[in-house]
Amino acid sequence: MRDESQPALEAVSQNGSSAVATARPLPTNLAVKCPNCRELLVAKDLEKNVKVCQRCGHHFKLSAWERIQLLTDPDTFKEFAEELRSADPLSFVDRTTSYARSVADKRAKTGLEDAAVVGRARVDGLPVVLAVFDFNFIGGSMGSVVGEKLTRAIEMGERERTPVIIVSASGGARMQEGMYSLMQMAKTSAALGRLAEAGVPYISVLTDPTTGGVSASFAFLGDVILAEPGALIGFAGPRVIEQAIHQRLPADANTSEFVLAHGMIDAVVHRRDLRAELARLLRLYRAAETVAH
Amino acid sequence: MRDESQPALEAVSQNGSSAVATARPLPTNLAVKCPNCRELLVAKDLEKNVKVCQRCGHHFKLSAWERIQLLTDPDTFKEFAEELRSADPLSFVDRTTSYARSVADKRAKTGLEDAAVVGRARVDGLPVVLAVFDFNFIGGSMGSVVGEKLTRAIEMGERERTPVIIVSASGGARMQEGMYSLMQMAKTSAALGRLAEAGVPYISVLTDPTTGGVSASFAFLGDVILAEPGALIGFAGPRVIEQAIHQRLPADANTSEFVLAHGMIDAVVHRRDLRAELARLLRLYRAAETVAH
Amino acid sequence: MPYDLDFERPVAELERRIQTLQRRGERMRPDDRAQVATLEREVQRQTRELYRSLSPWQRVQVARHRHRPQTSDYIRLMCDDFFELHGDRRFGDDRSIMGGIASLDGRAIMLIGHQKGHDIKERQECNFGMPHPEGYRKALRLMTHAERFHMPVVTFIDTQGAFLGLEDEQRGQSQAIAENLLVMARLRTPIVATVIGEGGSGGALAIGVADSLLMLENTFYSVAAPEAAATILWRDASFAPDAAAAMKIGAPDLRDMGLCDALVPEPVGGAHRDHEMAAAHLKAALNEHLDELTRVPTAILLDRRYAKFRNIGVYARPVPATVD
Amino acid sequence: MPYDLDFERPVAELERRIQTLQRRGERMRPDDRAQVATLEREVQRQTRELYRSLSPWQRVQVARHRHRPQTSDYIRLMCDDFFELHGDRRFGDDRSIMGGIASLDGRAIMLIGHQKGHDIKERQECNFGMPHPEGYRKALRLMTHAERFHMPVVTFIDTQGAFLGLEDEQRGQSQAIAENLLVMARLRTPIVATVIGEGGSGGALAIGVADSLLMLENTFYSVAAPEAAATILWRDASFAPDAAAAMKIGAPDLRDMGLCDALVPEPVGGAHRDHEMAAAHLKAALNEHLDELTRVPTAILLDRRYAKFRNIGVYARPVPATVD
Ligand SMILES: [Zn+2]
Ligand SMILES: [Zn+2]
């Protein structure tokens, strides 16, 4: 898990003072500095452009609910497993705070119960089971709640023969739940194994960032794997690798484009096309399903 | 197919005149020059040392019958499909000779009917179906007869749940049978697909040389793949590659040791250990079979 | 599209005469117009004549024509949708083999084909249609994907052969091809392969183990490229035309030998003269074969496919092969 | 074998005194001998005491002890035969994971384990036990091989973690680990995994999805190496002992949490003090678990394995998970 203190959005108010923003809608009077091209963008325009920098195409992080809104038909998303809560199984006490307090903080700040939201929905009329990460919640890290939610989503897809889409944005496993977190990698992968045996499609969408235990489990197990442009994708982050091998990495290392070039994913898809591309895939799978059954 | 005119054994009689020898037992009064270290070896000693150079370990090519003698328990090899003969399906006329005449020549010279001999046998008491190539027969090339013999051997292994061993020594497909030859790659691979589904082991032994269509089909489909030291192994021979990429290759390119280092085979086994190593594997598979059935 | 092959020279000459006349534009006289019409009919007649009796070597040249439609052209012209998939999930994305999920008249198929490239840039990116091991492994991934979702596999063959390089040996060119042969032989979904241009050796067969093998009528399929065969047999690549003749590599030869299941007609003068018509013919043939194959229960399909390859080969004193 | 860990210093001091006395050789007096005997009993007593209550960080040090037996040692000491298999058939042969067909009291098994290496040369060849993607792909190949021939899979976990390098990213470290998790979860043959030293993160789990997870008693298994966890949590690797304690990574912790199915006893003072005895304990445990698992019909085995991982996780307001 890389719980980067770097905020999802670096917001600068028009009078020049800096403020950390969550990924929720910004006050319209703000300007936002693009972390890639340094352009000052009007927040309202940025929102309209699905949070993609109009100048350089940088994809800002989306919250789980923004992502759901982007991808699903209006009013079709029906959340489930929303009652699950972290239980602090190790009674984990940090050097400065406790896991319980961190979770409470993040809940208050994000309005989420944990780092993933799962539900049924429709995309261009076609039914899907959708799971979406939110990086704002402890770096999108996967503990027991996230693992359980994803597993229930995958099992629902299997049971109802409905395609599963998981949109990842995560630094990896959640340290504060120790081995329970690591084992969620096995748990979700096992569920995907049964989904594959049942011949139900699973589309994995990688967004910035997808690393660690999340990338090394369900995220890289998609029948089709898509990624948003410029996302950090890899087992380790570039800084970790640089420390390990004592070398500077090329600038494009561990980006979406890098993993595409190395044969690890199927396509890099611009955010504005993502919904249409998913719909196209879903229609093709549905055509295959119709013939087969 | 690389029908190298370079003979399998370069023999030099003791008075210094040169003679091309087949791989059959040499007159004991001959000395043989090792093509690797250039040492003059006494033919009788070389025979005793399973045709491995005493000085440098170079493995001379073996004829099919020498190989069968090396690997199987005495008097246990029972050949089958020995009645098959090339039929010259394309009425192939060479610029200098005809395919029919080439085959007749090779028959006379080698005493073989085609480039592979197949049969039932025992190795250290354990039953196997064994197929062995002879490079002296048109470069060990695979046409319809070789493909049919191998396929019958593999099918017999499947039917009788007996492990299959194929010892390759071949330049690839036989040009003179055109597409019939290419399709033997698919035919033998299809038979191996059924063998694998039946859970019957197939051990592939690569000897000098194993290239072209033989390497790109059954030879690289072994559950376990062994190779004799220093054998030429690869899709293309080094000279072909050098022509294609206009570069000199490293000296060890496309040797047994090279493909081992690149993860393509399981072990390089000295000829004197080959029979024992096969027996060891057969016993392990038999132990698994006993538990499973 | 100009007539630019050696053996088309008489037709090219007729074309030049037509062009000379047409260059007069408004100054063309009535009998000029009549002459143009006559010449155009003659072009048609001579083209038809030439292509009716292509020599083996002429067929090789047509099959390799640089304006011949490629996998990407057929996809564009035949499919109502195509979602390209990339990468072998192991090492790289080899553009000499392209593939993805396509919709063919509403039927979802996995479409995989060699791609040689059109302009020089694309040709380099596609390594001139000569795959590396990762290309075959991408194809393998797509085929098992198709099996999982009950999509028929449709492949287009158009390669001089697998690439021969040191890195290809290092990454297991032989292993990659061999594995594809085995997996295709046992894949639990229908497979239709079509030679759309060059069928070169193991590098072609690696996506060619199919229930139905179609060939466009002006294509060839050979155990080795004619140049390579000539080198192997006579140590001189310039005897390639002799090798092409001796090895009986043309589509009609293979149909006569029973190795090719159906010829797909090409427009007069070759597929490169009319991409749309070539694609229409191919699409019709594919639909016909897919209609039939998708009706066959999987177990029977696999037994038939096995028997098909099992029985290839001609030898004397044959004992009848039995397949259960 | 000298006592060389920090916390063993009191015992090391006793050993030094024994050695000083023994250096007198024939000049040793009767009361010297008596003292040696007393000291040796004291060494035993104190060692037992120390190892009975290892702190989390002490356990990490023992698990990483450079003289601890490794996969190759256990193979030599436990198996009546071992045929090593090499290579992933894709790219390379990664010596940080070794594997092959072994005979364990006459039972054929597929044995796969991390190998850190003994001397510096072997350690470099083994990349200090940190696998590249091709290591995981070799393990995958061997596991599907085992499935085909109905051999149980036995894995030994002993790694700091998967290697973190640019080339590993290029060749898909994440993909390789992920694929192993899925395939192991559905492999149609029994799997027993044992942590014999360090259980480091996803790089350990990639050969650890098993019907039975055993741990040698002085080992640990962690979502991240303690140093890495300390860096992630507090940006300071020197807090590794705190991370080790907070994350409850010791074998007894995991047994108490129900994540580890059985502890395998070690000789007094750790497995490194007596390789033979460590191997004997491990062999007995493996045989016990294999005896039981090989009796279970495959369909039930797979359902049980699924349920086992399905039910891992602790959360509030849980709705009972149902597995069919
Ligand atoms: Zn920007
Ligand atoms: Zn020598």
Side-chain angles (χ1 to χ4, degrees):
Chain A
M1 186 217 69
R2 304 177 329 113
D3 181 4
E4 302 193 321
S5 63
Q6 163 204 342
L9 264 177
E10 187 186 335
V12 186
S13 67
Q14 289 204 314
N15 62 20
S17 75
S18 177
V20 171
T22 72
R24 279 169 295 174
L26 297 161
T28 51
N29 63 335
L30 282 180
V32 179
K33 189 152 89 182
C34 172
N36 186 49
C37 72
R38 302 283 144 196
E39 180 87 350
L40 279 178
L41 307 165
V42 180
K44 200 171 54 177
D45 297 344
L46 184 60
E47 292 287 340
K48 271 195 209 136
N49 200 37
V50 291
K51 286 203 175 164
V52 174
C53 172
Q54 292 97 323
R55 188 172 173 217
C56 74
H58 172 76
H59 282 51
F60 287 76
K61 289 184 180 63
L62 293 187
S63 74
W65 289 104
E66 284 173 331
R67 176 69 63 183
I68 289 163
Q69 197 183 7
L70 176 80
L71 296 182
T72 61
D73 300 350
D75 302 322
T76 60
F77 186 82
K78 304 280 178 276
E79 188 178 4
F80 58 81
E82 68 269 34
E83 71 282 6
L84 303 186
R85 301 281 184 280
S86 289
D88 191 12
L90 307 185
S91 308
F92 193 94
V93 179
D94 205 316
R95 298 178 57 81
T96 49
T97 175
S98 72
Y99 176 46
R101 204 176 309 151
S102 303
V103 168
D105 276 3
K106 289 296 175 181
R107 264 186 206 149
K109 277 193 186 140
T110 62
L112 297 170
E113 293 305 333
D114 213 301
V117 175
V118 297
R120 284 186 179 85
R122 286 185 178 264
V123 177
D124 218 7
L126 296 163
V128 297
V129 179
L130 178 66
V132 172
F133 275 77
D134 196 313
F135 190 74
N136 293 304
F137 199 100
I138 317 187
S141 60
M142 173 162 67
S144 296
V145 170
V146 169
E148 178 67 19
K149 283 185 170 189
L150 295 179
T151 303
R152 288 196 196 172
I154 297 162
E155 287 180 337
M156 178 179 291
E158 183 195 350
R159 213 162 44 237
E160 304 182 357
R161 299 199 65 75
T162 305
V164 176
I165 299 173
I166 301 179
V167 184
S168 300
S170 171
R174 189 170 293 173
M175 293 300 120
Q176 297 90 338
E177 295 189 24
M179 282 299 285
Y180 290 111
S181 295
L182 188 74
M183 290 297 169
Q184 303 308 309
M185 294 169 64
K187 173 170 165 172
T188 51
S189 301
L192 287 172
R194 300 223 311 195
L195 190 75
E197 285 171 11
V200 176
Y202 160 45
I203 304 170
S204 176
V205 181
L206 315 182
T207 74
D208 186 49
T210 299
T211 60
V214 162
S215 87
S217 58
F218 58 86
F220 266 107
L221 291 172
D223 292 306
V224 174
I225 307 178
L226 310 178
E228 286 195 338
L232 171 65
I233 296 169
F235 186 57
R239 275 160 300 175
V240 177
I241 297 174
E242 285 177 351
Q243 281 172 18
I245 64 174
H246 309 293
Q247 278 180 26
R248 288 300 298 272
L249 293 185
D252 74 332
N254 291 23
T255 60
S256 308
E257 294 73 18
F258 174 94
V259 290
L260 177 68
H262 288 98
M264 297 301 151
I265 67 171
D266 288 294
V268 174
V269 179
H270 193 284
R271 185 174 290 165
R272 92 171 80 76
D273 302 324
L274 190 54
R275 176 206 172 88
E277 289 296 88
L278 288 172
R280 214 150 69 79
L281 267 174
L282 292 169
R283 272 192 294 272
L284 287 164
Y285 282 117
R286 152 143 315 194
E289 174 93 2
T290 310
V291 170
H293 291 91
Chain B
M1 186 215 67
R2 306 178 327 113
D3 181 4
E4 302 193 322
S5 61
Q6 164 204 341
L9 264 178
E10 188 186 333
V12 185
S13 69
Q14 289 201 317
N15 63 20
S17 76
S18 178
V20 171
T22 72
R24 278 169 295 173
L26 298 159
T28 50
N29 63 334
L30 283 179
V32 180
K33 188 151 92 183
C34 172
N36 186 49
C37 71
R38 302 282 145 198
E39 180 88 348
L40 278 179
L41 307 166
V42 179
K44 201 171 54 176
D45 297 344
L46 185 59
E47 292 287 340
K48 271 196 209 136
N49 200 38
V50 292
K51 286 202 174 166
V52 173
C53 172
Q54 292 97 322
R55 189 173 172 215
C56 76
H58 172 75
H59 283 49
F60 288 76
K61 290 184 179 65
L62 293 187
S63 74
W65 288 104
E66 284 172 331
R67 176 69 63 182
I68 289 165
Q69 197 185 6
L70 176 80
L71 296 181
T72 62
D73 300 349
D75 301 322
T76 60
F77 186 82
K78 305 279 178 276
E79 189 177 3
F80 57 82
E82 69 269 32
E83 72 281 6
L84 303 186
R85 302 280 184 280
S86 289
D88 192 12
L90 307 184
S91 307
F92 192 93
V93 178
D94 206 315
R95 296 179 58 81
T96 49
T97 176
S98 73
Y99 176 45
R101 205 176 307 149
S102 302
V103 169
D105 276 3
K106 289 296 176 182
R107 263 187 208 149
K109 277 194 187 138
T110 62
L112 297 169
E113 293 306 332
D114 212 302
V117 176
V118 297
R120 285 184 178 86
R122 287 186 177 264
V123 177
D124 219 7
L126 295 163
V128 297
V129 180
L130 177 66
V132 172
F133 275 75
D134 196 314
F135 190 73
N136 293 304
F137 199 101
I138 316 188
S141 59
M142 174 163 66
S144 296
V145 170
V146 170
E148 178 67 20
K149 283 186 170 188
L150 294 179
T151 304
R152 289 197 196 171
I154 296 162
E155 288 179 338
M156 178 180 291
E158 184 196 349
R159 214 163 41 238
E160 304 182 357
R161 298 198 67 76
T162 304
V164 176
I165 300 173
I166 301 179
V167 184
S168 300
S170 171
R174 188 170 294 172
M175 293 300 120
Q176 296 90 337
E177 294 189 24
M179 282 298 285
Y180 290 111
S181 295
L182 189 73
M183 290 297 170
Q184 303 308 310
M185 294 168 65
K187 172 170 164 171
T188 52
S189 301
L192 287 172
R194 299 222 312 194
L195 190 75
E197 286 171 11
V200 176
Y202 160 45
I203 304 169
S204 176
V205 181
L206 315 182
T207 74
D208 186 48
T210 299
T211 61
V214 162
S215 87
S217 57
F218 58 85
F220 265 107
L221 291 172
D223 293 306
V224 174
I225 306 179
L226 310 178
E228 286 195 338
L232 172 65
I233 296 170
F235 186 56
R239 274 159 300 175
V240 177
I241 297 174
E242 285 177 353
Q243 280 173 19
I245 64 174
H246 309 293
Q247 278 180 27
R248 289 298 300 271
L249 293 186
D252 75 332
N254 290 23
T255 59
S256 308
E257 295 72 18
F258 174 94
V259 290
L260 178 69
H262 287 98
M264 296 302 151
I265 66 171
D266 288 294
V268 173
V269 179
H270 192 284
R271 185 173 289 165
R272 91 170 83 76
D273 302 324
L274 190 54
R275 175 205 172 87
E277 289 296 88
L278 288 172
R280 215 150 70 78
L281 268 174
L282 292 168
R283 273 192 293 272
L284 288 164
Y285 282 116
R286 155 144 311 198
E289 174 94 1
T290 310
V291 170
H293 291 92
Chain C
M1 187 163 305
Y3 288 87
D4 56 1
L5 298 174
D6 277 1
F7 68 90
E8 293 175 330
R9 210 168 294 153
V11 190
E13 180 52 37
L14 293 173
E15 271 213 322
R16 250 191 308 281
R17 284 168 59 193
I18 294 173
Q19 279 163 7
T20 308
L21 288 166
Q22 284 177 331
R23 229 174 277 126
R24 298 185 185 171
E26 295 185 350
R27 291 171 297 122
M28 262 214 309
R29 292 170 308 183
D31 55 333
D32 287 344
R33 289 182 210 282
Q35 205 185 342
V36 165
T38 310
L39 285 167
E40 280 175 342
R41 275 195 303 278
E42 186 58 16
V43 163
Q44 284 296 306
R45 196 192 61 76
Q46 287 200 20
T47 304
R48 201 179 306 271
E49 202 56 41
L50 277 175
Y51 276 80
R52 183 174 297 150
S53 54
L54 289 176
S55 77
W57 185 243
Q58 287 168 350
R59 188 182 308 279
V60 168
Q61 293 172 283
V62 176
R64 289 174 174 172
H65 197 286
R66 69 203 158 91
H67 291 125
R68 214 177 155 75
Q70 303 184 10
T71 292
S72 65
D73 301 308
Y74 286 115
I75 290 172
R76 184 172 36 78
L77 294 168
M78 287 182 355
C79 300
D80 12 296
D81 199 4
F82 178 68
F83 196 102
E84 187 169 1
L85 302 175
H86 288 276
D88 67 346
R89 300 280 189 275
R90 298 287 181 266
F91 184 84
D93 181 47
D94 185 344
R95 290 202 44 208
S96 69
I97 292 187
M98 70 182 296
I101 310 174
S103 171
L104 192 71
D105 287 339
R107 174 172 15 223
I109 60 172
M110 185 61 78
L111 203 154
I112 301 165
H114 296 107
Q115 177 77 2
K116 288 181 168 179
H118 296 84
D119 55 27
I120 185 63
K121 182 166 168 289
E122 193 197 356
R123 290 172 91 83
Q124 280 169 346
E125 287 168 355
C126 293
N127 198 32
F128 304 90
M130 293 179 288
H132 300 295
E134 49 272 24
Y136 294 115
R137 291 181 184 135
K138 170 163 79 171
L140 185 74
R141 178 173 81 85
L142 269 48
M143 289 190 256
T144 53
H145 182 135
E147 181 180 52
R148 190 155 62 249
F149 298 109
H150 310 286
M151 299 171 183
V153 172
V154 171
T155 70
F156 293 158
I157 293 170
D158 189 16
T159 185
Q160 207 179 311
F163 191 67
L164 309 174
L166 179 61
E167 297 207 333
D168 301 82
E169 299 288 342
Q170 291 172 333
R171 299 199 295 271
Q173 191 67 284
S174 287
Q175 194 281 338
I177 294 171
E179 186 165 355
N180 279 20
L181 302 185
L182 186 149
V183 171
M184 291 187 85
R186 306 306 295 160
L187 201 76
R188 300 178 64 80
T189 195
I191 308 175
V192 180
T194 307
V195 182
I196 60 169
E198 250 185 305
S201 188
L205 185 63
I207 61 168
V209 180
D211 298 299
S212 297
L213 175 65
L214 317 182
M215 294 182 75
L216 267 59
E217 62 175 325
N218 296 325
T219 65
F220 70 95
Y221 194 176
S222 179
V223 63
E227 293 82 355
T231 305
I232 292 168
L233 290 164
W234 308 303
R235 297 175 193 281
D236 188 342
S238 68
F239 291 125
D242 302 69
M247 293 198 298
K248 301 198 170 56
I249 62 179
D253 300 312
L254 268 71
R255 195 231 357 236
D256 294 346
M257 290 189 265
L259 297 176
C260 160
D261 297 295
L263 297 187
V264 180
E266 294 190 22
V268 174
H272 56 285
R273 307 230 142 255
D274 187 343
H275 288 202
E276 284 75 13
M277 190 183 293
H281 287 323
L282 176 54
K283 185 176 181 175
L286 289 175
N287 272 327
E288 182 191 327
H289 283 263
L290 289 172
D291 283 347
E292 194 245 311
L293 291 171
T294 50
R295 275 197 298 268
V296 182
T298 304
I300 295 172
L301 186 78
L302 262 66
D303 284 349
R304 275 201 209 165
R305 191 186 304 152
Y306 186 77
K308 174 185 163 131
F309 287 94
R310 174 69 188 83
N311 293 323
I312 294 178
V314 178
Y315 43 85
R317 284 224 260 160
V319 175
T322 52
V323 177
D324 41 18
Chain D
M1 187 163 302
Y3 289 85
D4 56 2
L5 298 174
D6 278 359
F7 68 90
E8 293 176 329
R9 211 167 295 155
V11 191
E13 181 51 38
L14 292 173
E15 271 212 323
R16 249 191 309 280
R17 282 168 57 193
I18 294 173
Q19 279 163 7
T20 309
L21 288 167
Q22 283 177 332
R23 230 174 276 124
R24 298 184 186 173
E26 295 186 349
R27 289 173 297 123
M28 259 210 317
R29 291 170 308 183
D31 57 333
D32 287 344
R33 289 183 211 282
Q35 204 185 342
V36 165
T38 309
L39 285 168
E40 279 174 343
R41 275 195 303 278
E42 186 59 14
V43 163
Q44 285 296 307
R45 196 192 63 75
Q46 287 201 18
T47 305
R48 202 178 305 271
E49 202 56 40
L50 277 175
Y51 277 79
R52 183 175 296 149
S53 54
L54 289 176
S55 78
W57 185 242
Q58 288 168 350
R59 188 182 307 279
V60 168
Q61 293 171 283
V62 176
R64 289 173 174 171
H65 198 286
R66 69 204 157 92
H67 291 125
R68 214 176 156 77
Q70 303 185 11
T71 294
S72 65
D73 301 308
Y74 286 114
I75 289 172
R76 184 172 36 79
L77 294 168
M78 286 181 357
C79 299
D80 12 296
D81 198 5
F82 178 67
F83 197 104
E84 187 169 1
L85 302 175
H86 288 276
D88 67 345
R89 301 280 188 277
R90 298 287 181 268
F91 184 84
D93 181 47
D94 185 343
R95 291 203 43 209
S96 69
I97 292 187
M98 71 182 296
I101 311 174
S103 172
L104 192 71
D105 288 339
R107 177 175 7 227
I109 60 173
M110 185 60 79
L111 203 155
I112 301 165
H114 296 107
Q115 176 77 4
K116 288 181 167 178
H118 295 85
D119 54 27
I120 185 63
K121 181 165 169 293
E122 193 197 355
R123 290 172 91 83
Q124 281 170 346
E125 287 168 355
C126 293
N127 199 32
F128 305 90
M130 293 180 288
H132 300 295
E134 48 273 24
Y136 294 115
R137 291 181 183 135
K138 170 163 78 171
L140 185 73
R141 178 173 80 85
L142 268 47
M143 289 190 255
T144 54
H145 182 135
E147 182 180 53
R148 189 156 62 249
F149 299 109
H150 309 287
M151 299 170 183
V153 172
V154 170
T155 71
F156 293 158
I157 294 170
D158 189 16
T159 185
Q160 205 180 313
F163 190 67
L164 309 174
L166 179 61
E167 297 208 333
D168 301 83
E169 299 289 341
Q170 291 173 334
R171 298 199 294 272
Q173 191 67 283
S174 288
Q175 193 281 338
I177 293 171
E179 186 165 356
N180 279 20
L181 302 185
L182 186 149
V183 171
M184 291 187 86
R186 305 306 295 162
L187 201 76
R188 301 177 65 80
T189 195
I191 308 175
V192 179
T194 306
V195 181
I196 60 169
E198 251 185 302
S201 188
L205 184 63
I207 60 168
V209 180
D211 298 298
S212 297
L213 175 65
L214 318 183
M215 294 182 76
L216 267 58
E217 62 175 322
N218 295 325
T219 65
F220 71 96
Y221 194 176
S222 178
V223 63
E227 294 82 354
T231 305
I232 292 167
L233 290 164
W234 308 304
R235 298 176 192 280
D236 188 342
S238 68
F239 290 126
D242 301 72
M247 293 198 298
K248 301 197 170 56
I249 62 180
D253 300 313
L254 267 70
R255 194 225 7 227
D256 294 347
M257 289 189 264
L259 298 177
C260 159
D261 298 293
L263 297 186
V264 180
E266 294 190 22
V268 173
H272 57 284
R273 307 228 143 255
D274 188 343
H275 288 201
E276 284 75 12
M277 191 184 292
H281 287 323
L282 177 54
K283 185 176 181 176
L286 289 176
N287 272 328
E288 182 191 327
H289 283 263
L290 289 172
D291 283 346
E292 194 244 311
L293 291 171
T294 50
R295 275 197 297 269
V296 182
T298 304
I300 295 173
L301 185 78
L302 261 66
D303 284 349
R304 274 200 210 165
R305 191 187 304 152
Y306 186 77
K308 174 186 164 132
F309 287 94
R310 174 69 189 82
N311 293 323
I312 295 178
V314 178
Y315 44 84
R317 284 223 260 160
V319 175
T322 52
V323 176
D324 42 18

